[in-house]
Amino acid sequence: MAKILLVEDNEMNRDMLSRRLNRHGFTVVIAPDGESGVAMAASEVPDIVLMDMSLPVVDGWEATRRIKADPRTSAIPVIALTAHAMASDEQRAREVGCDDYDTKPIELPRLLEKIQRLLPAAPGLR
């Protein structure tokens, strides 16, 4: 079963998305801000990170930079989740190290497709 680290500060968004991902068979661990998201990426070693970009303490842009700069977590795929929907926002997300980008509100089938595409090919994770 694949483990997803959801880094999201909005409690309603966290609750809704984590329940929906659980129903699709994923284990979801949650961080409410960028700083704890970076720490949990190292301690939990998730298969993928869903990163809100507008976060307290450390924003998602900087949290992604830190995850990708750490050799222990650099290979973990990160999908940016953001309400910033301009092409320049996607470019910025990719420049800080995000492997993919998705806009809010979340369209679950589209996000699931991106998650499945980025998950490691290890047996049992798909």
Side-chain angles (χ1 to χ4, degrees):
M1 181 179 301
K3 184 190 300 183
I4 295 175
L5 170 58
L6 174 60
V7 187
E8 170 65 61
D9 65 326
N10 182 290
E11 185 176 345
M12 187 167 55
N13 290 344
R14 275 194 317 253
D15 184 54
M16 179 186 64
L17 187 53
S18 65
R19 282 189 287 122
R20 294 169 82 191
L21 292 169
N22 282 328
R23 274 189 243 127
H24 283 272
F26 296 102
T27 298
V28 180
V29 293
I30 295 172
D33 60 67
E35 186 171 328
S36 61
V38 172
M40 287 182 72
S43 66
E44 295 285 334
V45 192
D47 297 297
I48 196 162
V49 175
L50 302 179
M51 180 72 73
D52 181 20
M53 303 314 277
S54 299
L55 293 167
V57 186
V58 172
D59 66 30
W61 312 103
E62 180 58 27
T64 300
R65 274 191 208 98
R66 292 182 189 180
I67 289 170
K68 292 299 186 175
D70 185 333
R72 297 172 300 166
T73 57
S74 63
I76 300 171
V78 177
I79 298 176
L81 300 179
T82 180
H84 304 282
M86 310 241 336
S88 61
D89 297 314
E90 181 174 359
Q91 180 180 349
R92 182 178 176 202
R94 292 189 187 276
E95 286 171 358
V96 299
C98 292
D99 299 275
D100 210 329
Y101 168 93
D102 207 56
T103 57
K104 293 180 179 177
I106 300 297
E107 185 181 311
L108 191 60
R110 183 179 65 211
L111 179 61
L112 289 171
E113 181 180 308
K114 291 179 180 192
I115 290 169
Q116 291 297 333
R117 186 171 37 78
L118 289 171
L119 281 175
L125 289 182
R126 291 187 174 230

